[in-house]
Amino acid sequence: MDKRDNILFSDTFDVKDLDKGGKRFDRVSRIDGRSQTHDMSLVLDVNSELYPLEAGDKFKLTLASSLSLGDTPEAAAFGKGEANWRAYVSGEERSLADDYDYVMFGRVYRYDDASGAKVSAFVSFGGLLMCLEGDIRHLQNFVVGDTIYLLMRKV
């Protein structure tokens, strides 16, 4: 895969724990993961009915600002960063999502850089939450209020 400006972060994660502290919702699992390359920690809510994972599974996680494969950005339909993803879903155009099994669309709602070199980015995907924590070099392109796509596939 070539380097694109719309890819904010990408790495392979190991599922270390699932629903630590007990399952709170019937169709949602909270994943605790650790990245293989960038030494990042991840806490992520996923719809376990659509995308079941078990402890020990490995998956590739990509965070992108758009689903566009080319150099041209998506046409903004609703405002800054809120692109018209419906063209990709209907199959009219090929997109980044075609290479993944599970895709969510959300918004960065918090960015915590209080601890120096380690930072945390918090994203809400319609109530399913993500916290990605690690070195500031890997999360410097995250801005509170920006929209983001999360893409996952098992490896």
Side-chain angles (χ1 to χ4, degrees):
M1 182 184 289
D2 58 71
K3 178 98 170 126
R4 290 191 268 289
D5 289 337
N6 62 331
I7 304 294
L8 302 173
F9 177 82
S10 188
D11 202 349
T12 301
F13 283 82
D14 297 313
V15 177
K16 297 296 182 193
D17 202 0
L18 203 63
D19 297 317
K20 184 169 42 176
K23 195 161 177 73
R24 297 195 178 160
F25 300 101
D26 290 338
R27 296 180 209 140
V28 177
S29 289
R30 180 157 284 178
I31 297 165
D32 287 316
R34 193 82 187 152
S35 74
Q36 294 181 346
T37 308
H38 300 304
D39 194 31
M40 306 286 283
S41 65
L42 173 74
V43 177
L44 175 66
D45 295 339
V46 296
N47 183 324
S48 54
E49 240 179 26
L50 296 176
Y51 200 69
L53 287 166
E54 301 292 328
D57 283 352
K58 294 180 187 307
F59 63 91
K60 178 170 176 118
L61 173 88
T62 299
L63 299 170
S65 58
S66 80
L67 294 175
S68 176
L69 286 175
D71 293 335
T72 55
E74 296 172 340
F78 308 109
K80 182 180 182 278
E82 295 187 46
N84 188 355
W85 51 267
R86 288 174 179 83
Y88 298 118
V89 174
S90 67
E92 295 171 19
E93 295 183 40
R94 185 151 161 66
S95 76
L96 191 60
D98 294 336
D99 298 329
Y100 292 85
D101 303 323
Y102 185 74
V103 179
M104 294 193 289
F105 179 74
R107 185 175 303 275
V108 178
Y109 70 90
R110 188 169 141 208
Y111 186 85
D112 184 8
D113 60 355
S115 60
K118 285 251 187 217
V119 298
S120 301
F122 297 86
V123 183
S124 175
F125 301 96
L128 297 178
L129 304 177
M130 178 191 81
C131 173
L132 183 61
E133 183 178 74
D135 193 288
I136 193 168
R137 293 174 298 151
H138 307 298
L139 297 175
Q140 64 188 359
N141 293 326
F142 287 68
V143 177
V144 173
D146 280 2
T147 56
I148 193 169
Y149 290 93
L150 177 141
L151 304 101
M152 293 173 64
R153 72 170 172 248
K154 291 182 182 176
V155 279

